[in-house]
Amino acid sequence: MPSTCVFGAQWGDEGKGKIIDRMATDADQVVRYQGGANAGHTVVVAGEKFVLHLIPSGILHPGKVNLIGNGVALDPVALLAEVDGLRERGVHVDGSNLRLSASAHVIFDHHRVMDNLAERWKGEGRIGTTGRGIGPCYADKASRTGLRVGDLLDEERLAPRLKAALAEKNAWITEVHDEPPCDYEVELQRFRELGKRLAPFVGDVGAELRDAYAAGSMVLFEGAQGAMLDIDHGTYPFVTSSNTGTAGVAAGAGFPANKLEGAIGIAKAYCTRVGEGPFPTEDHGDEGQKIRDEGNEYGATTGRPRRCGWFDAVAVRYALELNGATGLIVTNLDVLSAFDTLRIATGYRIAGEVVERYPVDVDLDELEPIYESHPGWGEDVTGARTWDELPARAQAYVKRLEELVGTPIVMLSIGPERDQVIPLAALIPELAKGGA
Ligand code: GDP
Ligand code: IMO
Ligand code: MG
């Protein structure tokens, strides 16, 4: 479809980077529209692993335009480090294939400091953020005290706005948290220089995108995080600070909402979460550890071990419904080859009642998932490239997932490499007509 959003349908790290890199073959523009360097999107090409934090996952394809929209919380240090890192590895990155919105909000040093202090203040109630300054940057945006990329390039604006922002932040840092203030002169100097390095990439991303779309371009929007981390619809307050799915596209990229045609959710064949907060199907025992070992489930941004558990059909169905998904891609199916028995949560029991629809405003720690069991297939599937090459039990498991979430599964991923996918036609024909 000419405009498609690819979003996480769980708690992040579903394999979006891999899938977007794969889908970028058919796209002209790949666009990040929310989140920031809290994201870690892994792309593996011919055994070489790249972890992208801010640069869209189309960057490894020559000739594609990668855009960072106004809705991204932009850390210039992280972005430039990523540019340098890619160039060192022979990837072409310059103002011709990477462009950045002048309206994106900037993450300063003080935002990272504040993120970590806020977490310390919360103590046991901490969110387990990535420490990348995301929450404080978006808070400033909403408070209308933030600085944007365009401000970095304009000396007249940068100095007074940074001074005013820091005066307020430093009062909080020193008086509430008893920590040393951030130095205005040091930050000013640093960000002035960073602004100069960013300048070749900066432009009007929204206008470029709308023009390109009108001229017939194929646009791919790259979600970061996942639906269950969405600030409005996720497991608040254990969420990130942006709208992670299709709802974020219009605001975060300057692209008309009614022009978005496709919405593809990504979910692992099991489930992981990094950071604190409810995770109904988490397995605290040996099976969870085994998923972590088999799937190498460690955070791409922070290296933290990911919490692991079983596929939660209630949560994924909710994520797909919420985002108007036209399709689902299931990743990491290969990881489940190591298990004799698999489990899928089909509902929750809450205070004795069975619930099949994701509940809002209940304590998710209080609910008990209702599981059904499936026999494992016990053989390697990483070499399969067609549906028919999958063992019958793997096919049955995937079909059951599709039935439970009510959205057509349009592709399977059976390994981290770009070519390790199985495109699918409708498994359950009735679903192919509509989507969630
Ligand atoms: P993202 O944040 O959604 O892009 O996902 P991450 O990159 O944080 O985490 C996904 C991890 O799974 C990465 O290490 C990928 O290389 C890996 N991966 C992606 N798809 C597959 C798959 O189908 N099978 C396996 N075994 N690993 C995969
Ligand atoms: P990708 O795009 C998984 C989690 C953090 C924490 C919460 C808030 O790679 O899927 P933040 O730093 O955003 O304020 O942290 O959100 N989190 C992610 N978890 N994948 C991510 O991104 C995440 N980005 C943030 O662990 O629980
Ligand atoms: Mg990730």
Side-chain angles (χ1 to χ4, degrees), residues 37-57:
N38 48 352
H41 294 180
T42 312
V43 178
V44 183
V45 185
E48 242 199 291
K49 176 172 159 178
F50 297 85
V51 181
L52 300 160
H53 300 287
L54 278 161
I55 297 183
S57 302

Side-chain angles (χ1 to χ4, degrees), residues 193-263:
E193 293 307 315
L194 289 164
K196 287 186 190 142
R197 286 200 58 204
L198 285 184
F201 299 103
V202 179
D204 185 344
V205 161
E208 173 173 354
L209 196 52
R210 294 189 296 275
D211 284 352
Y213 177 77
S217 270
M218 298 277 278
V219 184
L220 197 55
F221 293 96
E222 174 171 359
Q225 293 79 55
M228 306 308 287
L229 289 171
D230 182 279
I231 187 158
D232 285 286
H233 303 286
T235 50
Y236 192 90
F238 300 99
V239 293
T240 192
S241 301
S242 60
N243 289 121
T244 56
T246 48
V249 169
F255 186 79
N258 65 348
K259 298 281 192 280
L260 186 63
E261 287 133 301

Side-chain angles (χ1 to χ4, degrees), residues 385-408:
R385 293 293 176 272
T386 63
W387 176 251
D388 292 341
E389 289 172 85
L390 286 176
R393 286 176 169 178
Q395 292 179 343
Y397 181 78
V398 172
K399 269 194 182 162
R400 183 62 180 145
L401 295 186
E402 182 175 278
E403 188 174 59
L404 286 167
V405 301
T407 295

Side-chain angles (χ1 to χ4, degrees), residues 69-304:
N70 59 280
V72 168
L74 196 279
D75 179 339
V77 181
L79 179 66
L80 291 167
E82 219 173 311
V83 169
D84 291 343
L86 286 170
R87 284 178 178 163
E88 273 163 30
R89 296 174 70 180
V91 179
H92 172 86
V93 191
D94 63 16
S96 71
N97 67 342
L98 176 67
R99 287 191 279 284
L100 162 64
S101 168
S103 307
H105 276 255
V106 175
I107 295 194
F108 285 86
D109 296 339
H110 60 267
H111 288 124
R112 275 192 301 273
V113 169
M114 291 170 71
D115 191 357
N116 292 317
L117 289 178
E119 285 284 270
R120 191 176 78 183
W121 181 264
K122 290 188 177 101
E124 289 286 291
R126 70 186 179 281
I127 295 165
T129 71
T130 58
R132 297 294 189 273
I134 302 296
C137 176
Y138 279 124
D140 275 358
K141 174 179 174 176
S143 302
R144 291 143 302 165
T145 50
L147 278 83
R148 310 201 292 182
V149 167
D151 297 323
L152 288 189
L153 311 190
D154 184 334
E155 179 74 20
E156 305 265 293
R157 296 201 308 243
L158 175 61
R161 289 189 189 182
L162 181 61
K163 192 166 207 167
L166 261 187
E168 188 194 346
K169 305 309 172 200
N170 276 336
W172 187 80
I173 291 169
T174 56
E175 285 165 35
V176 178
H177 295 280
D178 203 18
E179 290 290 338
C182 295
D183 190 305
Y184 164 66
E185 290 298 337
V186 170
E187 275 204 37
L188 178 64
Q189 192 52 33
R190 231 162 98 69
F191 281 80
R192 190 190 275 143
E193 293 307 315
L194 289 164
K196 287 186 190 142
R197 286 200 58 204
L198 285 184
F201 299 103
V202 179
D204 185 344
V205 161
E208 173 173 354
L209 196 52
R210 294 189 296 275
D211 284 352
Y213 177 77
S217 270
M218 298 277 278
V219 184
L220 197 55
F221 293 96
E222 174 171 359
Q225 293 79 55
M228 306 308 287
L229 289 171
D230 182 279
I231 187 158
D232 285 286
H233 303 286
T235 50
Y236 192 90
F238 300 99
V239 293
T240 192
S241 301
S242 60
N243 289 121
T244 56
T246 48
V249 169
F255 186 79
N258 65 348
K259 298 281 192 280
L260 186 63
E261 287 133 301
I264 304 288
I266 314 290
K268 279 176 181 154
Y270 48 92
C271 192
T272 65
R273 172 166 201 166
V274 61
E276 308 301 322
F279 177 3
T281 60
E282 180 169 14
D283 188 308
H284 296 276
D286 294 346
E287 305 257 88
Q289 183 59 44
K290 190 167 170 180
I291 295 176
R292 189 172 305 113
D293 293 342
E294 295 292 330
N296 192 25
E297 292 293 356
Y298 295 88
T301 294
T302 59
R304 291 179 289 178

